[in-house]
């Protein structure tokens, strides 16, 4: 690397200084001669020459010293000196220039990261590389930056970046190993170090003790009192063995006996803060190390208040939330961890511990503090609800202490906010899963009933013509059965078990097809605005289900803008508003900038539905996707609309987010991953084109075929049998999988063959998939058509049988006949 510096001769000519002076003098005389010849004034020419000469001499004396000084201030850099200066043990250091080139690096950097690439291009994982680049930009902009942790070479580092150099054209990168501190080791170092010495000077003995009673460390005063030798090593010895007690339960050092001063003990558990936050067994006081502080009852330290400030300072450094009260239950002090865990924002504690809890728990907590303050000592827990989080009970630990003057009770409280949040999320997820399984099971059983009702209606309609007295009644029964079937589809959508027919499509096409229906649905007082981005990516979804999503969201928006959905104390808005439908292109960079923990980084096509209604309160926004929860007035809404929307979006591989502000409106953002067509999509399109020709092919099967029908529901089996027999098929029925196998065995023994197996999925004894696998061992090419109310995609993943087809329940007579014909024509 080269560095520009000033030389001794600013002109860079290398000539002696007298030559420069001669040149100046010659120029002055020449100009004076020209002036004399031009003006004819000799005196004026001489005066001019004299003035210019004096000015030149003055300038030369004024400029040259400064140039000499500038020349002496800077010297070319010696990078070997810089390299020696940045050799700092475990710290990896590198210097880069403005162009991003590696100017210098120490041996530790070369060992850990190599010198093939300069930071931030260190070949780390994607998120780490991005973080390094952001830190570099911040350092160039602000002069310094820091990042923690940086994970490289199976180690964690703390990175500090600083801009430096005369022109601020260099960045210094310092990677320091990140060491996780052990609270027990910190306490041991304090006991053996200055803290232990300071406590000893005040007459306080201190020892760190393991759960089994073995001493980890102790200060010099404890060692001298316990052993009589200041240099003795007590590590690994039994703590209790150094003490004895008399009949009054006073505690003495065993070496001194009752002739010595009795001592008062303060017991403080030492727990890992991460274990405390997680509530693990490692934070149990009975299983963690302890800190014992001992104060003499008489002598120079008889006034126990002497050591209280030091005790408070020590407790303030511990990661546990600790506080102390007097015998009247007043706070003497509380460390920051205790106040943070209690949700108390003030710098100091309130007068009483009961001021931290709700009114219903004040009496119980006050009684507990008084009991531990006046008793003979001990420890226990009390469940309370803090004013900062009244819905979540927490465990407050209390321990009575003696020998600390005014101090009577120590209170311990851990910060369990994160643990509570995780428990709430797990409980919510478990509840949603249980409700989803219940909804799916109910919908499955209900689909069997609806299949029978719709099937018998179809059979009855075949015997009646329009105008008959019973024809309209049968049509009404069938119409209401279809309405019930749509309700079961909502339940299945919520539990993500409905059957989807995904297609590769553009979202604007779906919006355009339903816009006319939405305008009629919204009415004249609500304006519908539709905008689309350019260059939107393809998505793979069921267009019918997407229309259902838009309809549900539009109905909710209409109710919110017309006042029909106001509840929870929210006033109804004016009878009108604007519903905006937007499609938006979202790139991977946009997702990365969002910093969402839920949305994976990738390309998406977003569908945004935004209204100007009354909005949703913050307390309810987290519950809107739960089944049977509604913000509408009592008697309005089923509470299944948004849960259905959520189920459809999630089963389609998308993500949905809700944002709302009371009085301004609600915004739903749905993200579908961009679909890249492949060979499977081309084959699917070809199959769809072939399916368009099916009606002409089906005629050859109208004469019949042999079908093995296996269904455990008697009514469904009867409807399906009658429907197929009317179409000319020869049907053999069975009530479960075992009966189906027996029927197939009898047919094979008689030299007969079935053309198709039509079977339910869920059956007692032997279900449909198990029966199908047994059948395939006998007749590998025999097609199987499954009937079920569950999702086809889910069944295909679980069953995984080749040459398998699917018919969704509930179905009509025409649908089952069409499905059977479609399967048979493929043989």
């Amino acid at each position: 690397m080269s560095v520009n510096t000033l030389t001794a001769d600013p002109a860079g000519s290398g000539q002696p200084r007298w030559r420069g002076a001669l040149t100046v003098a010659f120029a002055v005389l020449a100009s004076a001669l020209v002036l004399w010849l031009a003006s004819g004034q000799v005196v004026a020419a001489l005066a001019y020459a004299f003035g210019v000469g004096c000015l030149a001499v003055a300038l030369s004396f004024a400029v040259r010293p400064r140039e000499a000084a500038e020349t002496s201030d800077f010297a070319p850099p010696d990078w070997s000196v810089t390299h020696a200066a940045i050799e700092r043990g475990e710290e990896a250091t590198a210097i880069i220039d403005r162009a991003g080139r590696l100017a210098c690096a120490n041996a530790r950097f070369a060992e850990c990261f190599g010198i093939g690439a300069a930071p931030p291009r260190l070949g780390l994982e994607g998120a780490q590389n991005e973080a390094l680049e952001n830190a570099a930009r911040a350092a160039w902009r602000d002069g310094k930056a820091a990042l923690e942790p940086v994970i490289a070479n199976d180690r964690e580092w703390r990175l500090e970046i600083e801009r430096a150099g005369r022109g601020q054209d260099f960045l210094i990168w310092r990677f320091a190993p990140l060491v996780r501190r052990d609270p027990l080791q910190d306490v041991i170092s304090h006991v053996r170090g200055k803290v232990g010495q300071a406590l000893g000077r005040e007459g306080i003995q201190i020892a760190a003790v393991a759960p089994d009673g073995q001493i980890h460390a102790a200060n010099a005063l404890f060692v001298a009192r316990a052993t009589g030798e200041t240099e003795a090593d007590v590590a690994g010895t039994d703590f209790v063995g150094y003490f004895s007690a008399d009949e009054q339960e006073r505690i003495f050092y065993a070496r001194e006996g009752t002739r010595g001063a009795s001592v008062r003990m303060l017991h403080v558990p030492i727990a890992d803060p991460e274990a405390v936050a997680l509530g693990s067994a490692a934070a149990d006081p009975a299983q963690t190390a302890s800190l014992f502080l001992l104060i003499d009852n008489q002598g120079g330290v008889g006034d126990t208040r002497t050591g209280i400030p030091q005790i408070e300072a020590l407790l303030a450094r511990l990661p546990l939330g600790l506080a102390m009260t007097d015998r009247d239950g007043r706070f003497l002090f509380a460390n920051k961890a205790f106040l943070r865990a209690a949700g108390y924002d003030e710098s100091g504690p309130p007068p009483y511990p009961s001021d931290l809890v709700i009114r219903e728990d004040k009496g119980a907590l006050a009684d507990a503090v008084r009991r531990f303050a006046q008793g003979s000592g001990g420890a226990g827990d009390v469940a309370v609800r803090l004013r900062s989080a009244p819905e979540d009970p927490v465990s407050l630990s209390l321990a009575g202490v003696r020998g600390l003057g005014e101090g009577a009770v120590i209170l311990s409280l851990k910060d369990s906010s994160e643990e509570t949040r995780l428990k709430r999320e797990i409980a919510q997820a478990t509840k949603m899963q249980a409700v989803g399984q219940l909804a799916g099971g109910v919908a499955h059983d209900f689909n069997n009933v609806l299949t029978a009702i719709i099937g018998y209606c179809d059979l009855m309609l075949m015997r009646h013509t329009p105008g008959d007295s019973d024809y309209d009644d049968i049509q009404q029964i069938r119409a209401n059965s279809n309405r019930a079937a749509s309700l079961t589809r909502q339940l299945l959508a919520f539990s993500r078990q409905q059957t989807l027919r995904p297609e590769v499509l553009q979202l604007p096409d779906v919006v355009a097809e339903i816009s006319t229906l939405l305008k009629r649905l919204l009415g004249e007082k609500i304006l519908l605005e539709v905008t689309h981005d350019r260059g939107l990516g393809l998505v793979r979804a069921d267009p019918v289900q997407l229309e259902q999503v838009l309809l549900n969201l539009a109905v909710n928006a209409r109710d919110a803008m017309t006042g029909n959905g106001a509840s929870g104390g929210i006033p109804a808005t004016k009878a009108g508003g604007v519903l905006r439908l937007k499609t938006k292109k979202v790139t991977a960079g946009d997702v990365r900038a969002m910093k969402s923990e839920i949305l994976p980084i990738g390309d998406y096509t977003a569908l945004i539905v935004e209204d100007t209604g009354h909005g949703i309160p913050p307390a309810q926004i987290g519950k809107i996707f739960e089944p049977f929860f509604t913000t509408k007035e009592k008697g309005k809404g089923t509470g299944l609309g948004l849960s259905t929307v959520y189920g459809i979006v999630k089963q389609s591989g998308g993500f949905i987010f809700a944002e709302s502000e009371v009085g301004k409106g609600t915004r739903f953002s749905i993200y579908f991953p961009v679909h890249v067509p492949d060979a499977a999509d081309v084959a699917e399109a070809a199959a769809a084109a072939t399916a368009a020709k099916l009606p002409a092919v089906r005629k050859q099967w109208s004469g019949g075929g042999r079908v093995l029908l296996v269904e455990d529901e008697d009514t469904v089996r009867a409807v399906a049998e009658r429907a197929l027999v009317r179409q000319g098929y020869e049907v053999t029925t069975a009530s479960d999988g075992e009966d189906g196998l027996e029927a197939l065995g009898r047919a094979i023994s008689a030299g007969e063959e079935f053309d198709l197996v039509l079977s339910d999925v869920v059956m007692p004894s032997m279900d449909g998939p198990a029966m199908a696998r047994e059948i395939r061992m006998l007749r590998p090419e025999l097609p199987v058509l499954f009937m079920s109310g569950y999702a086809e995609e889910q069944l295909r993943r679980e069953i995984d049988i080749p040459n398998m087809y699917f018919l969704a329940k509930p179905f009509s007579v025409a649908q089952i006949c069409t499905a059977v014909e479609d399967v048979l024509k493929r043989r």
Side-chain angles (χ1 to χ4, degrees):
M1 175 174 291
S2 62
V3 179
N4 294 326
T5 58
L6 295 175
T7 62
D9 183 5
S13 62
Q15 297 179 352
R17 186 172 295 179
W18 64 269
R19 290 187 180 183
L22 183 61
T23 302
V24 173
F26 178 77
V28 170
L29 291 176
S31 60
L33 180 62
V34 171
L35 180 62
W36 175 47
L37 293 176
S39 64
Q41 299 291 330
V42 177
V43 176
L46 292 175
Y48 168 78
F50 178 76
V52 172
C54 292
L55 179 62
V57 171
L59 290 175
S60 65
F61 279 102
V63 172
R64 291 188 185 276
R66 184 177 67 218
E67 291 177 348
E70 291 178 354
T71 303
S72 62
D73 281 348
F74 302 105
D78 187 348
W79 287 104
S80 63
V81 176
T82 305
H83 187 276
I86 63 177
E87 287 292 346
R88 302 178 62 181
E90 289 294 316
E91 186 176 281
T93 306
I95 303 175
I96 65 171
D97 61 8
R98 178 70 73 171
R101 296 171 298 189
L102 187 64
C104 186
N106 66 359
R108 184 61 173 159
F109 182 89
E111 176 186 348
C112 296
F113 302 100
I115 57 174
R121 300 178 298 274
L122 297 179
L124 306 182
E125 295 183 359
Q128 292 280 298
N129 277 333
E130 182 182 358
L132 290 180
E133 292 175 358
N134 292 336
R137 285 192 290 268
W140 284 121
R141 182 182 66 249
D142 304 329
K144 60 177 58 179
L147 181 63
E148 178 183 327
V150 176
I151 301 176
N153 300 322
D154 298 327
R155 294 193 63 179
E156 293 185 351
W157 306 80
R158 171 176 172 77
L159 170 62
E160 293 182 355
I161 312 175
E162 183 179 0
R163 195 173 64 199
R166 286 195 294 270
Q168 297 290 300
D169 290 334
F170 294 90
L171 283 186
I172 303 175
W173 295 67
R174 298 186 180 94
F175 293 86
L178 194 59
V179 180
R180 301 296 184 186
R181 303 184 66 178
D182 184 357
L184 176 59
Q185 294 301 322
D186 288 345
V187 171
I188 291 175
S189 64
H190 288 311
V191 169
R192 292 173 175 170
K194 293 182 179 180
V195 174
Q197 296 172 9
L199 293 175
R201 286 193 297 268
E202 297 295 334
I204 299 175
Q205 306 104 63
I206 183 171
V209 183
D212 59 359
Q214 301 296 308
I215 297 177
H216 282 299
N219 66 351
L221 181 57
F222 177 90
V223 173
R225 293 288 300 277
T227 66
E229 300 177 9
T230 57
E231 300 298 329
D233 184 10
V234 297
T237 59
D238 185 19
F239 175 76
V240 178
Y242 290 111
F243 300 96
S244 62
D246 62 4
E247 296 177 354
Q248 287 78 31
E249 296 185 354
R250 293 179 300 174
I251 300 175
F252 298 87
Y253 280 98
R255 187 184 65 85
E256 298 174 351
T258 55
R259 69 180 184 278
S262 63
V263 293
R264 303 164 184 170
M265 286 189 181
L266 174 63
H267 170 231
V268 180
I270 304 171
D272 185 352
E274 296 183 0
V276 172
L278 297 175
S280 67
D284 184 357
Q287 301 181 20
T288 60
S290 301
L291 191 67
F292 285 92
L293 293 89
L294 300 97
I295 303 174
D296 289 350
N297 277 329
Q298 60 185 12
V301 292
D303 185 1
T304 57
R305 289 174 297 178
T306 305
I308 291 297
Q310 288 83 357
I311 295 174
E312 292 182 15
L314 180 62
L315 296 182
R317 297 176 60 88
L318 295 176
L320 284 174
L322 296 172
M324 181 179 289
T325 69
D326 59 16
R327 297 185 184 281
D328 295 328
R330 288 179 173 272
F331 271 122
L332 294 177
F333 76 93
N335 63 6
K336 293 181 179 179
F338 184 91
L339 297 177
R340 183 171 57 252
Y344 195 71
D345 298 332
E346 303 296 332
S347 58
Y352 295 94
S354 57
D355 294 332
L356 299 173
V357 302
I358 63 175
R359 183 178 59 184
E360 291 81 358
D361 293 344
K362 285 180 178 291
L365 179 56
D367 291 341
V369 173
R370 190 180 305 109
R371 184 172 63 254
F372 283 101
Q374 298 177 356
S376 59
D381 298 327
V382 59
V384 295
R385 289 164 292 178
L386 299 171
R387 294 175 59 185
S388 59
E391 297 180 357
D392 302 316
V394 298
S395 178
L396 180 65
S397 300
L398 300 94
V401 294
R402 302 294 177 266
L404 291 181
E406 296 180 357
V409 179
I410 288 184
L411 297 91
S412 175
L413 182 66
K414 67 178 181 180
D415 187 358
S416 59
S417 56
E418 183 67 16
E419 177 185 357
T420 302
R421 184 185 67 82
L422 292 175
K423 287 182 178 179
R424 187 184 299 113
E425 291 181 358
I426 292 173
Q428 177 68 9
T430 303
K431 181 180 71 174
M432 294 290 283
Q433 181 180 7
V435 173
Q437 291 176 348
L438 174 63
V442 170
H444 176 266
D445 294 340
F446 196 39
N447 274 335
N448 283 331
V449 178
L450 292 176
T451 300
I453 295 175
I454 294 173
Y456 278 114
C457 286
D458 290 343
L459 294 175
M460 292 174 66
L461 288 174
M462 292 178 183
R463 300 194 300 270
H464 294 75
T465 58
D468 290 351
S469 58
D470 296 334
Y471 185 84
D472 291 339
D473 296 337
I474 299 173
Q475 285 284 26
Q476 285 294 327
I477 295 173
R478 193 177 191 281
N480 282 281
S481 299
N482 287 327
R483 288 182 58 191
S486 67
L487 181 60
T488 62
R489 282 193 292 272
Q490 283 188 316
L491 290 173
L492 289 171
F494 158 69
S495 58
R496 307 181 205 175
Q497 295 176 351
Q498 86 276 31
T499 298
L500 298 181
R501 295 288 183 264
E503 300 176 7
V504 179
L505 47 83
Q506 284 278 8
L507 283 183
D509 297 339
V510 178
V511 175
E513 290 180 2
I514 202 173
S515 294
T516 304
L517 176 60
L518 290 179
K519 290 178 181 178
R520 291 199 300 267
L521 182 69
L522 296 174
E524 298 179 354
K525 296 183 179 180
I526 297 178
L527 177 64
L528 177 64
E529 294 182 358
V530 180
T531 57
H532 302 295
D533 267 4
R534 294 181 178 272
L536 295 174
L538 297 171
V539 300
R540 190 172 188 272
D542 187 337
V544 177
Q545 298 294 338
L546 287 184
E547 292 179 0
Q548 184 67 37
V549 167
L550 287 172
L551 285 173
N552 287 353
L553 294 178
V555 168
N556 286 345
R558 179 199 63 187
D559 294 342
M561 289 184 285
T562 57
N564 294 331
S567 69
I570 300 176
T573 59
K574 59 183 180 180
V578 180
L579 177 64
R580 299 182 180 90
L581 298 183
K582 306 176 185 178
T583 55
K584 183 179 179 182
K585 180 180 179 181
V586 181
T587 64
D590 297 332
V591 177
R592 193 177 292 109
M594 292 166 60
K595 298 181 179 179
S596 173
E597 298 180 355
I598 300 176
L599 195 64
I601 296 177
D603 295 330
Y604 294 88
T605 298
L607 174 63
I608 300 173
V609 182
E610 186 176 7
D611 65 61
T612 58
H614 55 65
I616 304 173
Q620 297 179 353
I621 193 70
K623 303 178 181 180
I624 59 175
F625 294 118
E626 296 182 11
F628 312 113
F629 176 83
T630 179
T631 60
K632 299 179 181 179
E633 297 177 359
K634 186 175 182 180
K636 294 183 179 180
T638 62
L640 287 175
L642 288 180
S643 62
T644 301
V645 168
Y646 182 85
I648 293 173
V649 171
K650 296 303 291 183
Q651 193 171 356
S652 301
F655 301 85
I656 182 169
F657 302 93
E659 305 171 59
S660 185
E661 186 174 352
V662 175
K664 293 188 177 181
T666 304
R667 173 190 179 105
F668 289 91
S669 302
I670 305 173
Y671 296 87
F672 292 103
V674 172
H675 178 75
V676 179
D678 53 16
D681 295 325
V682 177
E684 182 178 343
T690 305
K693 305 176 182 179
L694 293 183
V697 182
R698 290 191 187 118
K699 294 180 181 179
Q700 62 181 317
W701 290 99
S702 60
R706 290 180 57 84
V707 178
L708 173 59
L709 173 62
V710 186
E711 170 63 59
D712 62 313
E713 288 286 339
D714 296 338
T715 53
V716 176
R717 186 171 65 249
V719 168
E721 181 183 8
R722 289 181 59 182
L724 294 176
V725 169
R726 288 179 63 91
Q727 289 297 111
Y729 295 101
E730 182 180 347
V731 180
T732 301
T733 62
S735 59
D736 56 35
E738 293 180 350
D739 289 346
L741 288 176
E742 292 178 1
L744 179 65
R746 290 194 299 270
I748 294 175
S749 300
E752 300 174 349
E753 295 290 341
F754 287 108
D755 299 308
L756 172 69
V757 175
L758 178 61
S759 172
D760 191 13
V761 175
V762 180
M763 294 183 294
S765 183
M766 176 182 286
D767 60 13
M771 178 196 69
R773 293 186 181 93
E774 294 291 336
I775 290 177
R776 285 295 170 81
M777 297 176 64
L778 301 174
R779 292 292 183 267
E781 301 300 326
L782 184 61
V784 179
L785 174 60
F786 283 115
M787 305 176 291
S788 179
Y790 291 113
E792 178 180 355
E793 293 81 4
Q794 177 183 354
L795 292 176
R796 288 189 181 277
R797 288 194 301 267
E798 295 178 356
I799 299 175
D800 191 22
I801 297 177
N803 199 17
M804 178 191 76
Y805 304 91
F806 182 82
L807 174 62
K809 291 180 179 180
F811 50 77
S812 64
V813 169
Q815 287 173 335
I816 188 174
C817 294
T818 301
V820 170
E821 291 175 4
D822 289 343
V823 174
L824 290 176
K825 65 92 181 177
R826 289 183 171 90
R827 295 198 65 187

